[in-house]
Amino acid sequence: MFVVENVFMEFEPAFNESSSSLSSSRSSCGHWYVRYGVCIACKSTVNERQGRAFNYLLQGLQLSYEAAAFTKRFTTRFYLQNEKKLHLVLDLDHTLIHSVRVSLLSETDKHLVEEAGSKEDLWRLDAEFLTKLRPFLHEFLKEASEMFTMYVYTMGNRTYAKSVLKLIDPKRIYFGDRVITRDESPYVKTLDLVLAEERGVVIVDDTRDVWTHHQSNLVEINEYHYFGVNDPEESESYTEEKRDESKSDGELAKVLKLLKDVHCGFFKVKEDLESQDVRFLLQEIDFRLLTNDV
Ligand SMILES: [Mg+2]
Ligand SMILES: [Zn+2]
């Protein structure tokens, strides 16, 4: 039960509300939070698989659709009111980092394997990968975390994501358990798995196609290609040009500025945060960029 309580610290009021309503009337339990087929609140076995798995928060955890909707609403409101924070979903590959399989590195970049670990932005991962952190990454995460509760959402598997997270968030202060991988979400990326209302979620990803239903939440970032690889299809790399993306003026710095605009626009109204929506703000910013050609 200890672990369960840990996970629900964030959602405690929501959780208490559902459990207290059932202690008064057991039959009214909606089996909101189910673990390995057993309702956390009323302890009865729940056979029908209605709802959604949230294994990334806790292995075996399932939320009913009502519980997911309630928790989303609750979380968004809680962070809006108490911390002035929205939610941010970040992709890993080509957005925050560039990883390549060592075996696929171009001949000219093979020597970088020896340098891994001697620089703080170049690392060997699980023997298999060489990983470069995008310039401005640490500053980006620090500043973004002051405005957003952050998730990582990657098409990589959990083992890979864990290794990357050890590099970019070793103390787990930015992402905590909020790491969604291919293991939970194999085909497309969906905000259904993010416990926040869609009107308060901004996505930053270099791949538009994976976000089929959430394009209006998306800020598309230019791909980061640091290493050269043995693949003629791949675009040019920074190592070929013997340089790297600019820290102060690169993609992450640009996106951070946009995120500040969205955050600022969202909280500009003093009351009625309920009717604010990042999707409208992003649309406005797009429109401004198009018309002013800034
Ligand atoms: Mg990507
Ligand atoms: Zn129940």
Side-chain angles (χ1 to χ4, degrees):
M1 204 53 192
F2 174 69
V3 192
V4 175
E5 273 159 20
N6 259 356
V7 167
F8 285 107
M9 283 239 288
E10 244 182 295
F11 313 117
E12 218 185 342
F15 181 52
N16 285 343
E17 186 164 312
S18 75
S19 44
S20 66
S21 70
L22 6 129
S23 47
S24 57
S25 153
R26 184 162 276 255
S27 60
S28 75
C29 184
H31 310 311
W32 275 23
Y33 303 102
V34 172
R35 193 163 185 221
Y36 294 122
V38 177
C39 173
I40 292 173
C42 74
K43 308 281 183 288
S44 52
T45 308
V46 180
N47 289 320
E48 70 272 47
R49 290 258 117 204
Q50 276 190 0
R52 191 136 204 160
F54 281 82
N55 289 315
Y56 74 88
L57 284 177
L58 185 64
Q59 204 57 41
L61 178 68
Q62 169 115 0
L63 264 64
S64 73
Y65 292 120
E66 293 87 347
F70 182 91
T71 312
K72 279 167 181 267
R73 261 199 316 281
F74 172 80
T75 319
T76 292
R77 257 177 235 173
F78 179 86
Y79 282 106
L80 288 185
Q81 285 162 7
N82 296 299
E83 304 203 19
K84 265 187 111 184
K85 279 184 183 178
L86 296 165
H87 282 77
L88 180 64
V89 176
L90 297 168
D91 172 47
L92 287 181
D93 290 302
H94 301 293
T95 295
L96 299 183
I97 57 166
H98 184 204
S99 282
V100 284
R101 275 180 203 282
V102 170
S103 57
L104 296 178
L105 264 180
S106 68
E107 281 312 309
T108 46
D109 279 358
K110 285 254 192 289
H111 69 279
L112 291 171
V113 177
E114 314 302 320
E115 286 171 34
S118 68
K119 294 176 180 164
E120 58 178 28
D121 59 354
L122 183 68
W123 297 92
R124 189 92 186 249
L125 279 195
D126 310 331
E128 223 181 320
F129 295 96
L130 191 60
T131 299
K132 172 72 171 60
L133 310 190
R134 196 167 201 167
F136 198 66
L137 174 64
H138 292 302
E139 295 87 341
F140 175 88
L141 292 179
K142 184 167 183 298
E143 286 204 46
S145 70
E146 285 159 18
M147 304 179 284
F148 297 88
T149 301
M150 303 196 295
Y151 278 74
V152 153
Y153 203 140
T154 173
M155 281 297 188
N157 63 28
R158 183 145 292 271
T159 315
Y160 172 74
K162 265 192 174 167
S163 310
V164 176
L165 263 295
K166 257 186 215 159
L167 290 183
I168 67 174
D169 186 21
K171 294 183 184 145
R172 293 165 50 89
I173 47 175
Y174 295 133
F175 301 107
D177 290 318
R178 296 179 301 275
V179 178
I180 305 170
T181 69
R182 186 170 68 200
D183 297 17
E184 296 84 37
S185 179
Y187 307 110
V188 290
K189 293 183 175 179
T190 170
L191 290 183
D192 291 355
L193 284 173
V194 172
L195 286 173
E197 282 182 304
E198 290 173 22
R199 69 180 183 95
V201 185
V202 180
I203 303 162
V204 177
D205 201 316
D206 65 287
T207 311
R208 176 167 283 278
D209 298 352
V210 286
W211 288 104
T212 331
H213 300 295
H214 307 288
Q215 307 252 326
S216 46
N217 295 79
L218 176 68
V219 174
E220 201 176 350
I221 188 167
N222 281 329
E223 287 178 299
Y224 181 52
H225 279 276
Y226 182 72
F227 304 109
V229 289
N230 285 324
D231 182 353
E233 303 258 300
E234 281 279 334
S235 43
E236 257 170 53
S237 67
Y238 280 113
T239 54
E240 265 171 73
E241 302 167 10
K242 297 204 174 0
R243 62 186 192 103
D244 201 350
E245 197 171 270
S246 153
K247 222 175 158 165
S248 56
D249 206 15
E251 285 295 313
L252 284 177
K254 282 184 207 161
V255 168
L256 181 65
K257 195 180 161 298
L258 190 149
L259 293 175
K260 282 180 181 167
D261 286 350
V262 172
H263 186 266
C264 187
F266 197 99
F267 287 96
K268 204 162 57 189
V269 294
K270 287 282 170 286
E271 288 118 45
D272 205 23
L273 284 175
E274 283 296 304
S275 63
Q276 287 291 74
D277 193 320
V278 296
R279 292 169 289 199
F280 297 135
L281 294 165
L282 288 171
Q283 214 172 28
E284 264 175 42
I285 290 170
D286 267 354
F287 184 71
R288 251 190 291 147
L289 290 177
L290 279 176
T291 48
N292 295 349
D293 200 31
V294 191

